[in-house]
mmCIF file of all heavy atoms in Angstrom:
data_model
loop_
_atom_site.group_PDB
_atom_site.id
_atom_site.type_symbol
_atom_site.label_atom_id
_atom_site.label_comp_id
_atom_site.label_asym_id
_atom_site.label_seq_id
_atom_site.Cartn_x
_atom_site.Cartn_y
_atom_site.Cartn_z
ATOM 1 N N LEU U 1242 -22.723 59.309 14.676
ATOM 2 C CA LEU U 1242 -21.416 59.326 13.903
ATOM 3 C C LEU U 1242 -21.799 59.601 12.406
ATOM 4 O O LEU U 1242 -21.036 60.344 11.760
ATOM 5 C CB LEU U 1242 -20.644 58.080 14.146
ATOM 6 C CG LEU U 1242 -20.075 57.959 15.568
ATOM 7 C CD1 LEU U 1242 -19.411 56.667 15.784
ATOM 8 C CD2 LEU U 1242 -19.051 59.109 15.886
ATOM 9 N N GLU U 1246 -20.695 62.767 9.886
ATOM 10 C CA GLU U 1246 -19.821 62.461 8.685
ATOM 11 C C GLU U 1246 -20.594 62.661 7.444
ATOM 12 O O GLU U 1246 -20.172 62.091 6.445
ATOM 13 C CB GLU U 1246 -19.188 61.039 8.774
ATOM 14 C CG GLU U 1246 -18.276 60.812 10.012
ATOM 15 C CD GLU U 1246 -16.915 61.460 9.748
ATOM 16 O OE1 GLU U 1246 -16.739 61.978 8.686
ATOM 17 O OE2 GLU U 1246 -16.132 61.314 10.577
ATOM 18 N N GLN U 1259 -11.870 48.653 25.602
ATOM 19 C CA GLN U 1259 -11.012 48.456 26.838
ATOM 20 C C GLN U 1259 -11.254 46.991 27.288
ATOM 21 O O GLN U 1259 -12.361 46.603 27.640
ATOM 22 C CB GLN U 1259 -11.354 49.429 27.898
ATOM 23 C CG GLN U 1259 -10.544 49.157 29.123
ATOM 24 C CD GLN U 1259 -9.122 49.464 29.117
ATOM 25 O OE1 GLN U 1259 -8.717 50.566 28.784
ATOM 26 N NE2 GLN U 1259 -8.320 48.415 29.288
ATOM 27 N N ILE U 1269 -3.103 40.885 23.425
ATOM 28 C CA ILE U 1269 -4.406 40.580 22.842
ATOM 29 C C ILE U 1269 -4.317 40.753 21.300
ATOM 30 O O ILE U 1269 -4.140 41.795 20.788
ATOM 31 C CB ILE U 1269 -5.514 41.427 23.394
ATOM 32 C CG1 ILE U 1269 -5.571 41.285 24.924
ATOM 33 C CG2 ILE U 1269 -6.854 41.168 22.733
ATOM 34 C CD1 ILE U 1269 -6.460 42.327 25.600
ATOM 35 N N ARG U 1270 -4.549 39.629 20.613
ATOM 36 C CA ARG U 1270 -4.490 39.699 19.093
ATOM 37 C C ARG U 1270 -5.284 38.535 18.587
ATOM 38 O O ARG U 1270 -5.588 37.511 19.276
ATOM 39 C CB ARG U 1270 -3.093 39.692 18.579
ATOM 40 C CG ARG U 1270 -2.383 38.406 18.871
ATOM 41 C CD ARG U 1270 -0.876 38.454 18.643
ATOM 42 N NE ARG U 1270 -0.598 39.127 17.303
ATOM 43 C CZ ARG U 1270 0.663 39.607 17.007
ATOM 44 N NH1 ARG U 1270 1.655 39.586 17.889
ATOM 45 N NH2 ARG U 1270 0.857 40.094 15.830
ATOM 46 N N GLY U 1271 -5.797 38.662 17.368
ATOM 47 C CA GLY U 1271 -6.630 37.574 16.732
ATOM 48 C C GLY U 1271 -6.888 37.839 15.341
ATOM 49 O O GLY U 1271 -6.525 38.895 14.753
ATOM 50 N N GLU U 1295 1.205 24.092 -5.715
ATOM 51 C CA GLU U 1295 0.031 24.135 -6.616
ATOM 52 C C GLU U 1295 -1.289 24.397 -5.885
ATOM 53 O O GLU U 1295 -2.088 25.125 -6.449
ATOM 54 C CB GLU U 1295 -0.031 22.795 -7.248
ATOM 55 C CG GLU U 1295 1.154 22.400 -8.156
ATOM 56 C CD GLU U 1295 1.054 21.053 -8.833
ATOM 57 O OE1 GLU U 1295 0.119 20.339 -8.582
ATOM 58 O OE2 GLU U 1295 2.108 20.592 -9.356
ATOM 59 N N VAL U 1314 12.387 38.088 -1.075
ATOM 60 C CA VAL U 1314 11.952 38.858 0.200
ATOM 61 C C VAL U 1314 13.179 39.532 0.798
ATOM 62 O O VAL U 1314 13.031 40.732 1.224
ATOM 63 C CB VAL U 1314 11.361 37.878 1.194
ATOM 64 C CG1 VAL U 1314 11.112 38.586 2.550
ATOM 65 C CG2 VAL U 1314 10.060 37.264 0.646
ATOM 66 N N PHE U 1321 3.624 42.332 0.358
ATOM 67 C CA PHE U 1321 2.498 41.389 0.744
ATOM 68 C C PHE U 1321 1.984 41.728 2.100
ATOM 69 O O PHE U 1321 2.633 42.370 2.924
ATOM 70 C CB PHE U 1321 2.909 39.989 0.506
ATOM 71 C CG PHE U 1321 4.243 39.614 1.326
ATOM 72 C CD1 PHE U 1321 4.129 39.094 2.547
ATOM 73 C CD2 PHE U 1321 5.465 39.909 0.686
ATOM 74 C CE1 PHE U 1321 5.346 38.817 3.250
ATOM 75 C CE2 PHE U 1321 6.661 39.618 1.373
ATOM 76 C CZ PHE U 1321 6.645 39.045 2.701
ATOM 77 N N THR U 1335 13.013 30.705 8.482
ATOM 78 C CA THR U 1335 13.551 31.339 9.719
ATOM 79 C C THR U 1335 14.787 32.243 9.410
ATOM 80 O O THR U 1335 15.184 33.100 10.168
ATOM 81 C CB THR U 1335 13.926 30.352 10.867
ATOM 82 O OG1 THR U 1335 14.839 29.365 10.172
ATOM 83 C CG2 THR U 1335 12.706 29.542 11.240
ATOM 84 N N LYS U 1336 15.381 31.959 8.245
ATOM 85 C CA LYS U 1336 16.593 32.767 7.803
ATOM 86 C C LYS U 1336 16.153 34.321 7.657
ATOM 87 O O LYS U 1336 17.047 35.109 7.792
ATOM 88 C CB LYS U 1336 17.095 32.237 6.464
ATOM 89 C CG LYS U 1336 17.624 30.851 6.496
ATOM 90 C CD LYS U 1336 17.947 30.405 5.093
ATOM 91 C CE LYS U 1336 18.345 28.930 5.020
ATOM 92 N NZ LYS U 1336 18.699 28.512 3.633
ATOM 93 N N PRO U 1343 9.543 41.992 12.554
ATOM 94 C CA PRO U 1343 9.164 43.324 13.003
ATOM 95 C C PRO U 1343 7.881 43.757 12.275
ATOM 96 O O PRO U 1343 7.167 44.693 12.706
ATOM 97 C CB PRO U 1343 10.402 44.105 12.563
ATOM 98 C CG PRO U 1343 11.470 43.144 12.634
ATOM 99 C CD PRO U 1343 10.894 41.881 12.171
ATOM 100 N N THR U 1354 -0.268 29.993 10.801
ATOM 101 C CA THR U 1354 0.234 30.312 9.487
ATOM 102 C C THR U 1354 1.427 29.401 8.964
ATOM 103 O O THR U 1354 1.979 29.605 7.898
ATOM 104 C CB THR U 1354 0.778 31.764 9.470
ATOM 105 O OG1 THR U 1354 1.573 31.985 10.672
ATOM 106 C CG2 THR U 1354 -0.396 32.766 9.492
ATOM 107 N N GLU U 1390 -24.448 49.993 5.932
ATOM 108 C CA GLU U 1390 -25.717 50.006 6.578
ATOM 109 C C GLU U 1390 -25.430 49.875 8.144
ATOM 110 O O GLU U 1390 -24.416 49.244 8.561
ATOM 111 C CB GLU U 1390 -26.623 48.837 6.130
ATOM 112 C CG GLU U 1390 -26.964 48.909 4.737
ATOM 113 C CD GLU U 1390 -27.882 50.077 4.398
ATOM 114 O OE1 GLU U 1390 -28.685 50.459 5.293
ATOM 115 O OE2 GLU U 1390 -27.880 50.564 3.245
ATOM 116 N N ASN U 1391 -26.442 50.403 8.948
ATOM 117 C CA ASN U 1391 -26.229 50.304 10.367
ATOM 118 C C ASN U 1391 -26.072 48.894 10.841
ATOM 119 O O ASN U 1391 -25.221 48.582 11.766
ATOM 120 C CB ASN U 1391 -27.470 50.981 11.084
ATOM 121 C CG ASN U 1391 -27.358 52.477 11.080
ATOM 122 O OD1 ASN U 1391 -26.761 53.047 10.238
ATOM 123 N ND2 ASN U 1391 -27.925 53.089 12.123
ATOM 124 N N LEU U 1405 -13.142 38.525 20.882
ATOM 125 C CA LEU U 1405 -12.449 38.953 22.055
ATOM 126 C C LEU U 1405 -12.814 38.128 23.343
ATOM 127 O O LEU U 1405 -11.960 37.836 24.196
ATOM 128 C CB LEU U 1405 -12.615 40.417 22.249
ATOM 129 C CG LEU U 1405 -11.921 41.400 21.294
ATOM 130 C CD1 LEU U 1405 -12.412 42.818 21.480
ATOM 131 C CD2 LEU U 1405 -10.395 41.303 21.641
ATOM 132 N N ALA U 1438 -21.793 43.813 27.395
ATOM 133 C CA ALA U 1438 -22.751 42.731 27.165
ATOM 134 C C ALA U 1438 -23.259 42.583 25.800
ATOM 135 O O ALA U 1438 -24.257 41.784 25.511
ATOM 136 C CB ALA U 1438 -23.922 42.939 28.145
#
Side-chain angles (χ1 to χ4, degrees):
L1242 293 174
E1246 295 284 1
Q1259 174 69 63
I1269 301 168
R1270 66 195 309 164
E1295 294 174 7
V1314 172
F1321 49 95
T1335 57
K1336 298 175 186 177
T1354 47
E1390 296 295 331
N1391 281 30
L1405 282 169

